[in-house]
Amino acid sequence: MKSFRTVLTALLWLFAIVPVIWLSFNQLHTSKHQAIEFGQQQLILDVNEKLTKLRTNLESSFSALDRIASDGSIITSSTVDIMSVKVINQLQSFLDNYPSFSNIMMLDRELFQIEARPNQALAIDLSPFSETLNTMFNDEKTINEPNVKILIVPDSNGSDNYLFAAARPILHPKESLITPFEVTGMLFTTLPLEQFINALLNTIGSKQQGQISLYQHQKLIYQNKTLTLTDSHISYQTNFVIGNNDPFTIEVVRDLSSELSFSALISKEQENLIYTLMLLAVILISAKFIIKRLIQPIDELKQLTQQITQIDWHSNQAVIIDTTAHYKEFHELKQLLHSMSQTIQQQFNSLSNNNLKLTSLTEALQSSVKQGDTHKEILQNLINYDLHIRRQEDIEVIGCLTLGLAFGILNEPIGLVIYRSNFQSGFTSLERANPEFLHYIEQQHLEKIHLDLDEIHQINQLKSGYHLTAIHREKNCLGYIVTPKIDQQSFQARSIEIFVTSLQSRLQELQLQSELSKLANTDALTGLFSRHYFEQTYAQFKQRFLLRQEHFAVMLIDINGLKQVNDTLGHDAGDQLIKAVANFLQQSFRTSDIIARIGGDEFIILLEHVNVSYCQPFAIKLMEEIQQQHISYLNKKITLSFSCGYATSHEDPVEQLVELADQRMYQIKQQNKIHDNPASQSHFD
């Protein structure tokens, strides 16, 4: 008994200590992960905050360089040998306003330093940057996009280090219309890379614990040190973009070994560990009491347990258990065990007889549950499908979503055809459709796969292994789905009916949206674009010009003599005259040009990528050719005529193109009246 007591005591102690140790370890492990997560979040916040401040400072300084390079005195000084006091003051003012930059200088096309601030900057070796600077001087893109460019070149001393600088071209106007500007000089300054790195190092703590890597185009261009990364290191990588320059990728690594040390974690979880030790003490005291109460009757329980375990339940013999006991409680327990053993014998026999029946019922139940789960998943997919296509306008995406959903319902591929219309693109996927249907199409020599509702109904009457489900809007067939022939009362058939209804509804919505958009953006009389559409497109052209210098022109046309035709022959004749001019314009301009009617007798056209040399002869040609056109109304011949004015972004302020084109058009109209040119007015014979 003494040996058993020792073993039992050891076991109870073991079962008390192991959970406590496990809970303590788990708490420390959780605390470690929380410290890592908090450190990661803090690193992200710190780095993003510093990068935001750095980006703001650099963009402000780059804007200052743009203003200096665009100043007239700077532009003039880039082509002469004498440097004005104003230019020198501007360069010095830049260094005063942005003390993080240590120098700034003006270079000519030979990379000679015309002026530098401070004077010590004259000693800077520019040879590593010579190739890049010469490329900027000679690249036409520099004229079109005269932005501040960040230069990154290898150090000429043969090391793996890189040099950083910023250059802003100085453009001087020319008299040529083809190339109105030339690069005559360059503002150049070296970037304060060391200050930039130190600012980031301050975000990750000690410089000895942090690593910063700078990449561009996946190439390492700077790294302050190389660390051997362990589980105690966290990192954060982000992109850093300044102006129109290529993005940098910055990776910051911080060492959390001090925060993740065992002593630090213990200190953090000190209160929880105290509670754990108190719990352990309570458990041990309780275990000692339990041991004392269990040892005395343990032998009798052992003997009774051995007797019960030796019973052969398969023998179907009567179970006899000695119910005599020294203690009343154990006597009652033995009687209870004897009764239980007899009951177990009876239940065992009954369970053996029903075992086969229970096995078959279990298999049937498992099959039913599995089918129910499948139906639930399909219904959820139908809901998700309806939500997804409501947010989609691309027929290609809607078609792919439909194919995926149908495959999930039928567990085999289907065919799908959505007809192309004036309002939407089409979608066809019959490659994996039912081979019997594809054979029917080939056998019938159908040159097209577009079927109407009657043809679909006739095909479904055939004895075949496939079924066509029409997608329609009232009596107008929008497409169809090819599926295997299944019971129309089955769950799969009803599921297909549901998603076809959703698809029909979405296609009807898209058609209605297209019809409304066409009505809003089209002139009812001529079929040309409306004033509303022109104003939207004009705003987009101006935005592209401001962002990417994409030049364009505005041409304004006013019909001559429309009022005379209206007053003499009536407004119906005037409408015919307006439509004839509209047809002439559609035939004369490029398909990429935007032609809109903005008034009773006024038309306006947006032309991309053109200049004055294109617009001037083209406008004259239009006014000459229109006079060769005529229409007949009530046996009267009406000769067409209009006045035309234009303005281009090359020569005119982009915000005033419409006003300038209108003024020039009326100048042409007034000139024709002064010279009393009858051919310049729409007239009839």
Side-chain angles (χ1 to χ4, degrees):
M1 294 297 294
K2 184 177 180 180
S3 176
F4 183 80
R5 179 191 297 272
T6 303
V7 173
L8 183 60
T9 302
L11 289 175
L12 289 175
W13 275 72
L14 180 63
F15 287 124
I17 293 175
V18 168
V20 172
I21 295 177
W22 181 84
L23 288 173
S24 300
F25 176 80
N26 185 62
Q27 183 63 32
L28 291 176
H29 185 69
T30 302
S31 180
K32 179 180 179 180
H33 278 282
Q34 289 176 349
I36 292 175
E37 183 178 359
F38 176 79
Q40 183 72 41
Q41 294 175 352
Q42 190 63 41
L43 178 61
I44 293 173
L45 290 174
D46 292 342
V47 171
N48 287 336
E49 180 182 2
K50 290 295 183 180
L51 288 181
T52 299
K53 292 181 180 179
L54 178 63
R55 183 184 293 108
T56 301
N57 185 37
L58 288 178
E59 288 179 349
S60 175
S61 60
F62 285 0
S63 297
L65 288 176
D66 286 333
R67 291 193 297 270
I68 294 174
S70 302
D71 187 84
S73 58
I74 292 289
I75 296 174
T76 303
S77 298
S78 65
T79 58
V80 298
D81 297 331
I82 300 175
M83 189 65 56
S84 68
V85 175
K86 181 179 179 182
V87 171
I88 297 174
N89 291 337
Q90 285 183 317
L91 298 181
Q92 185 59 46
S93 175
F94 174 82
L95 295 180
D96 295 338
N97 292 331
Y98 301 96
S100 58
F101 289 82
S102 59
N103 58 77
I104 183 171
M105 60 191 75
M106 282 183 59
L107 307 178
D108 61 12
R109 295 186 64 88
E110 302 301 324
L111 304 186
F112 176 77
Q113 296 169 321
I114 303 174
E115 181 60 39
R117 289 289 152 185
N119 293 331
Q120 292 83 346
L122 295 172
I124 295 177
D125 183 14
L126 300 180
S127 58
F129 301 94
S130 59
E131 182 178 353
T132 305
L133 289 173
N134 285 327
T135 300
M136 290 183 64
F137 271 110
N138 299 313
D139 191 358
E140 184 179 353
K141 187 178 179 181
T142 303
I143 298 176
N144 296 331
E145 298 179 0
N147 303 313
V148 177
K149 181 176 179 61
I150 296 178
L151 310 180
I152 304 174
V153 298
D155 198 343
S156 59
N157 59 13
S159 65
D160 294 334
N161 297 330
Y162 283 78
L163 301 177
F164 291 71
R168 170 57 163 88
I170 301 173
L171 304 185
H172 192 278
K174 295 174 59 179
E175 296 182 355
S176 172
L177 293 177
I178 298 177
T179 56
F181 296 95
E182 65 176 343
V183 181
T184 58
M186 194 79 63
L187 288 179
F188 179 89
T189 177
T190 57
L191 288 180
L193 178 62
E194 193 65 27
Q195 295 183 20
F196 162 62
I197 297 302
N198 288 335
L200 286 180
L201 283 172
N202 291 333
T203 68
I204 61 174
S206 173
K207 295 183 180 180
Q208 288 72 25
Q209 296 179 339
Q211 172 186 298
I212 291 183
S213 304
L214 191 62
Y215 299 86
Q216 190 175 61
H217 305 303
Q218 300 182 347
K219 182 177 182 182
L220 179 64
I221 59 177
Y222 179 83
Q223 191 174 66
N224 65 321
K225 63 188 298 185
T226 302
L227 294 178
T228 301
L229 301 182
T230 64
D231 292 339
S232 63
H233 289 86
I234 59 173
S235 64
Y236 173 59
Q237 190 178 86
T238 185
N239 289 333
F240 183 67
V241 181
I242 305 173
N244 293 327
N245 291 279
D246 295 335
F248 295 92
T249 299
I250 297 176
E251 182 181 37
V252 181
V253 178
R254 175 184 284 175
D255 187 3
L256 296 180
S257 56
S258 60
E259 291 88 342
L260 300 179
S261 64
F262 184 77
S263 59
L265 294 176
I266 290 294
S267 177
K268 182 179 179 181
E269 299 297 330
Q270 183 176 3
E271 183 177 352
N272 290 332
L273 291 176
I274 292 175
Y275 289 134
T276 303
L277 292 176
M278 294 174 62
L279 176 62
L280 178 60
V282 172
I283 292 175
L284 293 178
I285 295 173
S286 301
K288 185 177 179 180
F289 177 79
I290 293 172
I291 291 171
K292 183 178 179 180
R293 300 294 296 176
L294 290 179
I295 289 302
Q296 294 178 355
I298 199 66
D299 283 337
E300 295 182 6
L301 288 176
K302 179 181 178 181
Q303 293 175 3
L304 185 59
T305 303
Q306 288 177 347
Q307 185 179 357
I308 294 176
T309 56
Q310 292 174 359
I311 295 175
D312 184 10
W313 303 104
H314 294 279
S315 65
N316 199 21
Q317 295 178 355
V319 179
I320 301 175
I321 297 178
D322 184 9
T323 60
T324 61
H326 183 70
Y327 298 104
K328 177 182 178 181
E329 292 80 3
F330 277 88
H331 175 71
E332 295 175 352
L333 177 60
K334 287 183 178 181
Q335 289 181 334
L336 179 61
L337 288 175
H338 177 70
S339 177
M340 289 176 60
S341 64
Q342 293 179 341
T343 303
I344 290 173
Q345 182 68 64
Q346 296 173 0
Q347 294 296 327
F348 183 83
N349 295 336
S350 177
L351 289 173
S352 298
N353 295 331
N354 295 328
N355 183 54
L356 294 176
K357 183 178 180 180
L358 289 174
T359 302
S360 61
L361 290 175
T362 300
E363 293 176 352
L365 180 61
Q366 289 176 345
S367 176
S368 176
V369 170
K370 184 177 180 181
Q371 186 177 23
D373 291 340
T374 302
H375 290 177
K376 180 179 179 181
E377 182 180 357
I378 290 175
L379 290 174
Q380 185 62 47
N381 290 338
L382 287 171
I383 295 173
N384 293 336
Y385 169 78
D386 187 74
L387 293 175
H388 285 317
I389 64 173
R390 295 295 173 188
R391 297 192 296 265
Q392 290 292 338
E393 296 185 359
D394 190 343
I395 297 299
E396 188 75 21
V397 176
I398 294 176
C400 292
L401 290 173
T402 304
L403 292 175
L405 176 63
F407 183 82
I409 295 174
L410 301 173
N411 290 324
E412 57 181 290
I414 68 164
L416 173 63
V417 177
I418 300 176
Y419 299 157
R420 180 183 179 88
S421 68
N422 294 331
F423 307 107
Q424 65 187 27
S425 59
F427 179 86
T428 301
S429 177
L430 293 175
E431 298 81 3
R432 303 180 65 188
N434 187 285
E436 190 177 350
F437 171 72
L438 298 178
H439 179 70
Y440 172 80
I441 293 292
E442 181 180 357
Q443 188 179 31
Q444 297 298 318
H445 303 289
L446 296 177
E447 298 181 356
K448 61 183 181 66
I449 57 176
H450 283 210
L451 306 173
D452 56 29
L453 295 177
D454 293 335
E455 291 172 330
I456 292 175
H457 178 71
Q458 293 174 5
I459 292 175
N460 286 333
Q461 299 304 313
L462 302 175
K463 293 183 177 180
S464 60
Y466 58 88
H467 179 78
L468 302 186
T469 302
I471 306 169
H472 60 90
R473 180 185 181 186
E474 296 178 352
K475 295 184 179 181
N476 181 25
C477 187
L478 306 177
Y480 56 88
I481 295 176
V482 185
T483 62
K485 183 163 287 187
I486 57 178
D487 182 6
Q488 295 302 306
Q489 301 301 320
S490 66
F491 180 80
Q492 287 83 356
R494 295 183 182 277
S495 299
I496 292 175
E497 181 181 356
I498 291 173
F499 85 72
V500 167
T501 303
S502 296
L503 179 59
Q504 288 178 168
S505 175
R506 182 56 181 156
L507 294 179
Q508 292 175 12
E509 289 178 2
L510 293 176
Q511 287 191 1
L512 181 59
Q513 291 174 4
S514 299
E515 292 172 356
L516 293 176
S517 176
K518 183 178 180 181
L519 291 175
N521 296 324
T522 306
D523 177 61
L525 178 62
T526 62
L528 299 177
F529 290 118
S530 65
R531 173 186 287 273
H532 173 71
Y533 183 81
F534 163 76
E535 291 174 349
Q536 289 182 329
T537 309
Y538 181 41
Q540 295 172 3
F541 274 48
K542 290 191 292 184
Q543 186 68 16
R544 290 203 298 266
F545 171 78
L546 296 175
L547 292 177
R548 298 188 292 272
Q549 292 295 303
E550 293 185 10
H551 288 284
F552 67 99
V554 173
M555 189 169 289
L556 200 143
I557 292 175
D558 185 271
I559 301 176
N560 297 329
L562 176 63
K563 184 177 184 304
Q564 179 186 2
V565 172
N566 284 335
D567 295 342
T568 307
L569 300 178
H571 286 276
D572 184 56
D575 290 344
Q576 297 298 323
L577 174 59
I578 292 172
K579 289 194 286 186
V581 173
N583 292 334
F584 172 78
L585 295 178
Q586 286 180 309
Q587 297 172 4
S588 301
F589 282 88
R590 303 172 300 181
T591 56
S592 61
D593 297 333
I594 306 299
I595 310 172
R597 180 182 176 216
I598 61 172
D601 56 356
E602 286 188 332
F603 300 85
I604 195 164
I605 302 95
L606 288 172
L607 303 93
E608 289 185 289
H609 309 302
V610 298
N611 52 25
V612 176
S613 60
Y614 175 88
C615 292
Q616 183 175 8
F618 185 59
I620 296 174
K621 177 183 176 183
L622 288 175
M623 289 187 290
E624 291 176 350
E625 291 183 352
I626 190 62
Q627 296 175 9
Q628 308 301 320
Q629 306 294 319
H630 66 273
I631 61 173
S632 296
Y633 185 80
L634 299 179
N635 297 325
K636 292 186 179 294
K637 178 180 177 182
I638 304 175
T639 302
L640 309 183
S641 174
F642 57 64
S643 299
C644 178
Y646 63 88
T648 69
S649 61
H650 286 84
E651 301 292 336
D652 303 308
V654 71
E655 296 293 341
Q656 301 177 12
L657 294 183
V658 175
E659 291 80 359
L660 293 174
D662 185 65
Q663 294 174 10
R664 292 164 184 169
M665 180 273 295
Y666 274 106
Q667 289 176 2
I668 298 295
K669 186 180 290 287
Q670 293 300 322
Q671 291 175 5
N672 290 330
K673 290 182 178 180
I674 292 173
H675 292 87
D676 196 19
N677 183 4
S680 66
Q681 303 292 321
S682 297
H683 59 277
F684 53 88
D685 299 326

